[in-house]
Amino acid sequence: MNRRDFLKRIIKSALALLGLSFLLSLIYIYPAKIKKKGMKLVHAFDEEELPRRGVKRVDFSYEYGNRTINTLAFIVMAKEGFIALSPVCSHLGCLVNWDRNKGEFLCPCHGGRYDMEGRVIGGPPPAPLTRLPLEIKEGKVFIGIKV
Amino acid sequence: MGKIFDWIDSRFGVKEPHRRFLQRPLPEKLNYSYCLGGAAFTLFLMSVVTGLLLSIYYVPSETEAYKSVIRINEEVRLGWLVRSTHKWSANLLIIFIILHTIRVFITGSYRPPRELNWIAGVFTFIFAMASGFTGYLLPWDQKAYWATVVGTSMAGTVPFIGNALLYFVRGGPEVNGTTLIRFYSMHVLWIPVMMFIILCAHFHMVKKQGISGGL
């Protein structure tokens, strides 16, 4: 091998190393720990606050680590009993609002529409609203949330 | 030029190539629409300068970001002016890039041998949009937060690699402090550096290939 080819090869390997380090930097940027989410039952409110009919928005908070996190859910008096719906739109994650006059959930971002039980009736959402576990124990209502 | 400049340039030697750059033949039918690219570059420079000023007071942290933005607006002398200038120059930058693109398209200036410069321009536009998207989160208010939730969720809808892509962009499953710092880093370091490189290439090609004669 002459000097010219040798230097060419050196430069090519240096470039290959550069490419490799670029891939390594992608690994570096990717989050190291992604916490597995578990279901946690949270005391949201008391039994007497359950809606007699229709939909009720409940705001509640829970402790996570050393922080208090505020969240909300919709409690629906459905045919089969009470269900708790997550307010997170299945399209791109905005929070939906309950429109009492129209009797449907509306997403403010892209106009997703859900009926009272969370089924899609219009707009872009690909799936219904997530149903959260709901338990009533000793007069207290617990809602399951992912933490 | 002045004595000091001549002293510097007799050693640095930038006058001669510079003169060649400025005194080059231009096509006859030039009009003000050929200034749109220059206007966009001016706006980019304004964003850079005001951005440098904002970075003196802005704190990229989950608990401090919003407060520091309020402080810039209400306490820092001329803070409102710097922040508004940053906002408006950034918005106008996008508009002027689009107008410049339309001019290049109408006059057919993308045709050979200038295809590569069109591609460089496309990258400039992508970087400008990325800068806008990452900068939008930094005030860390409700609008910023939800815009980022929605914007990054789109990455999650990519088939197969969607979730990994989402974690990559957000730094985790949710938009939180990690996302804020990521976006801050992109906004003030990564994108400006890439923008600088691509603009050097863009202007180099403009100089080498000359202004196109139009249709």
Side-chain angles (χ1 to χ4, degrees), chain B residues 11-12 39 86 153:
Chain B
R11 286 147 188 89
F12 197 72
H86 193 69
S153 290

Side-chain angles (χ1 to χ4, degrees), chain A residues 86-136:
Chain A
S86 157
V88 179
C89 181
S90 64
H91 178 221
L92 290 171
C94 293
L95 299 186
V96 300
N97 298 308
W98 170 246
D99 188 321
R100 196 182 293 263
N101 297 325
K102 287 186 182 151
E104 54 191 51
F105 290 103
L106 295 177
C107 181
C109 291
H110 309 101
R113 290 163 59 220
Y114 305 85
D115 73 2
M116 205 172 97
E117 293 179 23
R119 288 178 294 251
V120 182
I121 48 175
L129 292 174
T130 310
R131 289 193 180 195
L132 304 171
L134 184 85
E135 272 182 33
I136 304 169

Side-chain angles (χ1 to χ4, degrees), chain A residues 22 25-31 33-35 37 67 91-95 109-110 146, chain B residues 62 146 149-151 153-154 157 163-165 167-168 170-174 182 186 190:
Chain A
F22 173 74
S25 70
L26 288 183
I27 296 170
Y28 170 85
I29 296 169
Y30 196 79
K33 273 187 288 182
I34 296 163
K35 282 182 192 137
K37 287 192 166 189
R67 286 189 303 176
H91 178 221
L92 290 171
C94 293
L95 299 186
C109 291
H110 309 101
K146 281 182 179 168
Chain B
E62 207 170 353
W146 288 105
V149 168
V150 169
S153 290
M154 290 179 204
T157 61
N163 253 346
L165 210 58
Y167 294 163
F168 199 80
R170 288 183 177 175
E174 276 127 22
R182 231 153 238 259
M186 289 289 155
W190 291 64

Side-chain angles (χ1 to χ4, degrees), chain B:
Chain B
M1 288 256 195
K3 256 186 179 168
I4 299 173
F5 180 83
D6 285 340
W7 185 88
I8 293 172
D9 198 57
S10 63
R11 286 147 188 89
F12 197 72
V14 77
K15 208 168 167 180
E16 209 31 55
H18 198 68
R19 182 174 291 147
R20 250 181 284 143
F21 177 48
L22 289 176
Q23 299 176 350
R24 62 203 150 111
L26 295 175
E28 272 174 41
K29 282 187 193 164
L30 283 189
N31 56 47
Y32 280 108
S33 72
Y34 284 76
C35 295
L36 290 167
F41 181 58
T42 309
L43 289 162
F44 171 72
L45 289 180
M46 281 173 73
S47 306
V48 170
V49 172
T50 50
L52 286 173
L53 290 171
L54 286 174
S55 73
I56 303 251
Y57 289 104
Y58 179 74
V59 186
S61 108
E62 207 170 353
T63 49
E64 294 299 314
Y66 180 70
K67 282 186 227 160
S68 71
V69 171
I70 296 295
R71 214 178 301 131
I72 289 169
N73 260 8
E74 292 178 357
E75 278 176 37
V76 176
R77 277 186 290 253
L78 297 180
W80 57 274
L81 180 65
V82 174
R83 185 160 174 246
S84 310
T85 312
H86 193 69
K87 180 197 159 164
W88 282 103
S89 58
N91 276 300
L92 290 172
L93 172 61
I94 302 283
I95 293 170
F96 271 79
I97 291 176
I98 293 170
L99 291 176
H100 174 59
T101 312
I102 293 170
R103 195 281 293 167
V104 171
F105 184 76
I106 289 174
T107 57
S109 307
Y110 55 85
R111 283 182 297 212
R114 298 185 178 80
E115 318 96 304
L116 189 62
N117 216 9
W118 173 273
I119 293 168
V122 169
F123 274 100
T124 311
F125 184 58
I126 292 170
F127 292 151
M129 294 294 272
S131 200
F133 182 60
T134 50
Y136 205 68
L137 178 68
L138 301 185
W140 203 234
D141 53 10
Q142 285 290 323
K143 192 173 67 171
Y145 178 83
W146 288 105
T148 304
V149 168
V150 169
T152 50
S153 290
M154 290 179 204
T157 61
V158 175
F160 307 116
I161 56 161
N163 253 346
L165 210 58
L166 189 71
Y167 294 163
F168 199 80
V169 177
R170 288 183 177 175
E174 276 127 22
V175 175
N176 56 26
T178 318
T179 321
L180 178 64
I181 295 168
R182 231 153 238 259
F183 275 41
Y184 177 73
S185 165
M186 289 289 155
H187 188 77
V188 306
L189 292 169
W190 291 64
I191 298 169
V193 165
M194 293 192 287
M195 195 73 151
F196 179 78
I197 294 169
I198 205 77
L199 282 179
C200 284
H202 201 59
F203 297 155
H204 166 78
M205 280 186 270
V206 169
K207 184 186 162 185
K208 275 284 170 200
Q209 298 160 348
I211 306 293
S212 81
L215 291 171

Side-chain angles (χ1 to χ4, degrees), chain A residues 43-92:
Chain A
H43 173 215
F45 56 98
D46 293 331
E47 199 176 354
E48 57 258 36
E49 292 171 60
L50 279 169
R52 291 204 183 78
R53 59 193 169 83
V55 177
K56 185 179 182 183
R57 172 186 157 147
V58 286
D59 292 84
F60 57 101
S61 58
Y62 59 95
E63 302 293 322
Y64 179 70
N66 48 9
R67 286 189 303 176
T68 307
I69 294 170
N70 297 310
T71 184
L72 63 112
F74 288 103
I75 309 297
V76 182
M77 177 69 219
K79 280 178 202 122
E80 71 262 30
F82 290 110
I83 51 173
L85 289 177
S86 157
V88 179
C89 181
S90 64
H91 178 221
L92 290 171

